[in-house]
């Protein structure tokens, strides 16, 4: 389904929509085209009455209004790409179906310029006590995906929470944070899966251990392929945190007909946490030969890199274009989606594949 803004809508209740390939070509996505991942109804939060409780293992528990947050803490800005753990899930479907999960394509990722207070500044102002090791976020949106239904939440290790790039953001691209994107205030955790950038945050709790919230303890975990996800419990599988190295092809689009000869191929690549994108290779002959793409500069250490390459597609017929990224540690994306398939469809970072039609006829 297509939304009037060009978004690809997977669900309307709760609202879940990904950015179109065309929308992903811009270095800054824009709020109207930024992907949306919700687990329950979008809450109606009034910024005039909103407040943020800070508690747990802190010396001075506090409750901050929006005015206190914006006036008492230094403002910081970071350009950061957020990416859903289910980004490119549709690439798993030819391997095996994934019932009950939205078939996200490459558009469950977007980039914005975020403005807010550093989470670390807020935590330090409250004073951290001995034993502090994790920071939990809680929001008011209630999801019936959990049994029984519960508020959405999650946590990150204290070291990440104190990092300079992690914000309590109240602005997106210079404007007040839209409600659908977590306004009036959301957490922005660059380099980690979008599930940890909790929207509409109302409570922060410093803990000794990770959050026991269903979305932290049970949901966003990578399970072995033979596991029944409905029977998986807290702690099963691998907890998802930093984003896996990934890339995809944005143009040409799947099924597009192109003229024989040189074809311009464009896409994005993103490496999570403190890794950068170092190289992208593109192939028009199934991987027999590769062309090194030209990489655009990243807007920040936490933002994706766009790339482009010219491929010579001279033979009419169906051709599969491939792309693979390398990060600054020298790691490359895995080739096969089949080797990565898991019953929740998380973390598909296999090589990008787009089939096109060359020439006037197949």
């Amino acid at each position: 389904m297509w939304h009037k803004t060009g978004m690809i809508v997977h669900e309307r209740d709760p609202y879940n929509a990904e950015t179109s390939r065309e929308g992903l070509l811009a270095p800054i996505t824009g709020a109207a085209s930024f992907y949306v991942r919700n687990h329950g109804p979008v809450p109606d939060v009034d910024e005039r009455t909103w407040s943020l409780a800070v508690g747990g293992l802190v010396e001075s528990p506090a409750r901050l209004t929006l005015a206190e947050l914006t006036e008492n803490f230094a403002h910081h800005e970071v350009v950061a790409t957020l990416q859903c753990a289910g980004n490119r899930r549709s690439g798993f479907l030819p391997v095996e179906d994934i019932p009950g999960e939205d078939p996200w394509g490459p558009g469950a990722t977007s980039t914005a310029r975020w403005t807010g207070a550093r989470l670390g500044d807020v935590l330090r102002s409250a004073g951290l006590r001995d034993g502090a090791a994790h920071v939990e976020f809680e929001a008011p949106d209630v999801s019936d995906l959990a049994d029984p239904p519960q508020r959405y939440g999650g946590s990150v290790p204290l070291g990440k929470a104190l990092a300079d790039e992690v914000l309590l953001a109240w602005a997106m691209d210079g404007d007040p944070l839209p409600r659908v994107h977590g306004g009036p205030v959301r957490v922005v955790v660059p380099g980690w899966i979008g599930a940890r950038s909790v929207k509409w945050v109302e409570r922060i709790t410093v803990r000794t251990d990770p959050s026991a919230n269903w979305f932290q303890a049970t949901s966003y975990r990578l399970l072995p392929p033979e596991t029944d996800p409905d029977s998986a419990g807290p702690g099963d599988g691998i907890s998802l945190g930093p984003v896996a190295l990934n890339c995809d092809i944005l143009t040409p689009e799947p099924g597009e007909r192109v003229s024989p000869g040189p074809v311009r191929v464009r896409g994005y690549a993103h490496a999570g946490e403190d890794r950068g994108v170092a190289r992208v290779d593109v192939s028009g002959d199934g991987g027999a030969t590769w062309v090194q793409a030209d990489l655009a500069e990243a807007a920040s250490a936490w933002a994706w890199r766009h790339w482009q390459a010219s491929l010579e597609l001279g033979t009419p017929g169906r051709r599969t274009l491939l792309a693979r990224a390398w990060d600054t540690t020298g790691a490359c994306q895995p080739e096969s989606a089949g080797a990565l398939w898991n019953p929740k469809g998380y973390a598909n970072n296999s090589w990008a594949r787009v089939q096109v039609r060359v020439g006037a006829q197949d």
Side-chain angles (χ1 to χ4, degrees), residues 27-28 79-81 111-112 190 269-271 277 298-305:
I28 301 294
V79 177
T81 300
T111 300
H270 181 51
V277 175
S300 82
W302 304 102
W304 57 17
R305 297 186 74 176

Side-chain angles (χ1 to χ4, degrees), residues 47-301:
E47 67 177 44
R48 296 169 298 181
T49 58
W50 175 89
S51 65
L52 175 66
V54 181
L57 294 174
V58 297
E59 298 290 347
S60 303
R63 183 173 290 276
L64 302 170
T65 66
L66 182 58
E68 290 169 333
L69 183 65
T70 58
E71 294 171 8
N72 296 345
F73 295 91
H75 294 199
H76 295 276
E77 187 176 87
V78 61
V79 177
T81 300
L82 298 187
Q83 189 165 110
C84 179
N87 189 49
R88 301 184 66 220
R89 178 180 284 137
S90 61
F92 281 142
L93 301 185
V95 179
E96 187 176 339
D97 193 19
I98 303 174
E101 301 287 352
D102 290 332
W104 298 97
T109 186
S110 300
T111 300
R113 188 179 303 275
W114 309 96
T115 304
R118 284 176 174 155
L119 173 61
D121 289 349
V122 173
L123 294 174
R124 291 185 183 96
S125 73
L128 295 167
R129 292 167 50 193
D130 291 344
H134 297 268
V135 179
E136 178 182 42
F137 314 114
E138 185 178 322
D141 54 320
V142 175
S143 175
D144 60 8
L145 295 175
D147 186 17
Q150 64 177 258
R151 290 182 169 209
Y152 185 83
S155 63
V156 297
L158 180 63
K160 181 63 178 181
L162 294 175
D164 286 349
E165 70 275 3
V166 180
L167 299 182
L168 293 170
W170 55 72
M172 182 181 189
D173 302 331
D175 294 320
L177 189 61
R179 187 161 65 94
V180 74
H181 293 305
V185 177
R186 73 175 295 168
V187 188
V188 174
V189 185
W192 280 51
I193 61 169
R196 307 305 178 222
S197 290
V198 175
K199 297 188 285 189
W200 315 292
V201 62
E202 290 189 340
R203 182 176 297 276
I204 294 174
T205 305
V206 181
R207 304 165 51 99
T208 58
D209 49 7
S211 170
N213 185 280
W214 185 80
F215 290 96
Q216 176 79 34
T218 302
S219 178
Y220 281 97
R221 302 185 72 91
L222 191 71
L223 300 172
E226 67 276 7
T227 305
D228 176 5
D230 292 332
S231 63
D236 289 346
I238 301 168
S239 181
L240 294 170
V243 172
L245 171 67
N246 218 330
C247 83
D248 214 323
I249 297 168
L250 301 179
T251 63
E253 297 201 11
E256 185 174 337
R257 191 178 296 278
V258 299
S259 299
V263 173
R264 185 186 184 201
V265 183
R266 294 186 291 171
Y268 70 79
H270 181 51
E273 196 51 328
D274 57 356
R275 294 166 287 115
V277 175
R279 191 176 103 202
V280 172
D281 301 332
V282 187
S283 175
D285 55 13
T289 61
W290 296 87
V291 172
Q292 193 166 322
D294 295 323
L295 286 171
E297 290 297 323
S300 82

